Each structure stands twice: as structure tokens, then as C-alpha cells.
């Protein structure tokens, strides 16, 4: 998804550059993020992340990290406790904190990161790792309109964004979009198994199931009709 470079934060620190964090970083760079004012912290950075940082001149694990305009938390949720002391030093009064830590509420983040004021909690789904995801997000009361625009631009680096007014709805959103891909994959798996049971070669059945689900998804995303109408059309 195209991101207007002017909407991105002037300076940014990404903590955690695994599959999701790395995908976001690649999307931001494609959208015009200022690599010279970007810092990536990941002691176990993958070869892909190392190459990406080197090719763009991004500081990877520098000894001195400034408190930038945005701090993106993309580490594993269980890593928050151990990293909280360091993370809190990376936050200034102007810093926007965007967290994609599953299960960590805004209140949890405030407890672990007392310097944090403006916080956006976001929940991307697995297709975000290829830039085709959907992310649900909710902002704390301290997030200024301009900061929300920055968060929106950052999250659009991996797909569509839906904003919630109530953090309690994150669980419902997770049930639909967060867990939803698993049901789609299960459907493809079941279709392939049914094809094999009907006599198709396993590899052919798998190809048919994969192409059918992929094609149906593409039609659903571009058709003006509701899912129910498309089902009836079939």
C-alpha cells in the first residue's frame, strides 16, 4: 500500500525486526522513510534485516540510541518485561509509542514504560508479513491528531488499517482478522484433502485448493457485492 512520505515520523526506532517488524520496515522504506534517522534494535537480527539496514544505511543496534519521534515495539510479548528498562529510556515527551505486542494492553505498557504518554496499540494479522494484512488499532487519549496520522501511515505499510474507539473491541477484532487467516488455511487444507479422497493426485488437489481460495479472496476484495451474494452466485 502506498504511504505518503510526509505522513511518516521524522525519526523512528524499531525494536524487533522479525517477520512482522521486518515487513513493516521494508514497507516504510518503500514509502520514503528517512533511513538516516531510523534506528533498528534487534540483537538477533536476521541476515535479511542486516542486509536491509546495510543497503539503506540504517543504524542497527547502535550503542547510543536517541529518543526519536516514534518508537515501534515489535518484539515478542514475553520480552517486554526484560526490555522495559531500556525501552523507557528511548521515550521522550514527544515520542509516539506504537505496540504490536499481542495481549499487552495500553495499561500494561504504561506500567512497564512509565515515560510513555501517547500510545497506539495495534494488532496486525499474518498476511501483514507480505504487505496484504489488516491491522486493528486503538489510540490512547494522549495521542494527538498528527500522531494518529503518523501511526496510520506506519501501519498502512503492511496493509489496511481499521481504527477502534474502544480498546475492549481488540479481542473481537482479533477473533475476526487476527485468527481469521487460520480458518481460511484450514478451509484450503480441507478442500485439498477432500480432493484426494475423491481421487485427485495430492499435489493437484493442493494446487486447486490454493488457487481456489486465492482467487476467491481476490474476487471478494474487488467485487462490489457482499460475500453472501457471491456465495449465492456460485
Amino acid at each position: 500500500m502506498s504511504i505518503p512520505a510526509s505522513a511518516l515520523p521524522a525519526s523512528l526506532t524499531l525494536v524487533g525486526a522479525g517477520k512482522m517488524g521486518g515487513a513493516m520496515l521494508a514497507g516504510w522504506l518503500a514509502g520514503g522513510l528517512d533511513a538516516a534517522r531510523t534506528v533498528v534494535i534487534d540483537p538477533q537480527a536476521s541476515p535479511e534485516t542486516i542486509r536491509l539496514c546495510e543497503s539503506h544505511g540504517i543504524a542497527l543496534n547502535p550503542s547510543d540510541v536517541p529518543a526519536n519521534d516514534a518508537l515501534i515495539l515489535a518484539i515478542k510479548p514475553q520480552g517486554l518485561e526484560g526490555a522495559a528498562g531500556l525501552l523507557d529510556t528511548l521515550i521522550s515527551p514527544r515520542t509516539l509509542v506504537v505496540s504490536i505486542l499481542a495481549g499487552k494492553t495500553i495499561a500494561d505498557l504504561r506500567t512497564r514504560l512509565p515515560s510513555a504518554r501517547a500510545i497506539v496499540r495495534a494488532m496486525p494479522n499474518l498476511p501483514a508479513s507480505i504487505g496484504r494484512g489488516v491491522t486493528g488499532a486503538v489510540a490512547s487519549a494522549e495521542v494527538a491528531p498528527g500522531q494518529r496520522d503518523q501511526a496510520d501511515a506506519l501501519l498502512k505499510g503492511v496493509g489496511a488499517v481499521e481504527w477502534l474507539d474502544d480498546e475492549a473491541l481488540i479481542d473481537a477484532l482479533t477473533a475476526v482478522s487476527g485468527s481469521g487467516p487460520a480458518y481460511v488455511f484450514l478451509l484450503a487444507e480441507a478442500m485439498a484433502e477432500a480432493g484426494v479422497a475423491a481421487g485427485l493426485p495430492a499435489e493437484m488437489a493442493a494446487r486447486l485448493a490454493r488457487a481456489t481460495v486465492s482467487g476467491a479472496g481476490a474476487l471478494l476484495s474487488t467485487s462490489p457485492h457482499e460475500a453472501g451474494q457471491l456465495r449465492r452466485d456460485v
Side-chain angles (χ1 to χ4, degrees):
M1 182 174 293
S2 177
I3 313 168
S6 60
L8 293 168
S11 60
L12 179 147
T13 300
L14 170 64
V15 183
K19 181 170 288 188
M20 196 68 71
M24 290 194 297
L25 179 61
W28 302 333
L29 291 170
L33 180 69
D34 186 353
R37 301 192 66 189
T38 299
V39 175
V40 173
I41 301 175
D42 190 335
Q44 298 179 322
S46 67
E48 292 79 12
T49 295
I50 294 173
R51 285 194 295 270
L52 185 65
C53 290
E54 289 179 344
S55 65
H56 287 84
I58 294 173
L60 175 62
N61 299 321
S63 57
D64 185 24
V65 182
N68 283 326
D69 291 333
L71 175 65
I72 316 302
L73 305 181
I75 58 177
K76 295 184 183 299
Q78 60 268 30
L80 176 61
E81 188 72 38
L86 169 63
L87 296 177
D88 199 56
T89 66
L90 307 181
I91 301 171
S92 74
R94 77 174 194 281
T95 302
L96 168 68
V97 177
V98 179
S99 168
I100 64 167
L101 277 59
K104 297 300 182 182
T105 66
I106 291 175
D108 291 332
L109 295 168
R110 288 199 191 287
T111 299
R112 301 292 182 271
L113 308 173
S115 297
R117 297 181 182 178
I119 300 173
V120 168
R121 179 186 175 192
M123 178 56 62
N125 63 1
L126 184 59
S129 63
I130 60 167
R132 292 292 304 276
V134 60
T135 299
V138 61
S140 70
E142 296 81 2
V143 175
Q147 290 178 315
R148 174 165 163 153
D149 290 343
Q150 290 178 353
D152 189 69
L154 289 168
L155 296 173
K156 282 179 177 174
V158 290
V161 181
E162 294 289 344
W163 285 91
L164 302 171
D165 294 326
D166 184 354
E167 187 179 5
L169 293 176
I170 282 280
D171 289 341
L173 180 141
T174 301
V176 176
S177 61
S179 302
Y183 294 99
V184 176
F185 302 145
L186 177 61
L187 173 62
E189 185 181 3
M191 290 171 62
E193 291 175 351
V196 171
L200 292 174
E203 290 185 1
M204 180 185 292
R207 289 196 303 270
L208 288 169
R210 184 182 291 252
T212 299
V213 171
S214 177
L219 176 59
L220 182 60
S221 68
T222 58
S223 173
H225 302 300
E226 297 292 332
Q229 181 59 54
L230 293 173
R231 172 181 57 77
R232 289 188 289 273
D233 289 345
V234 174

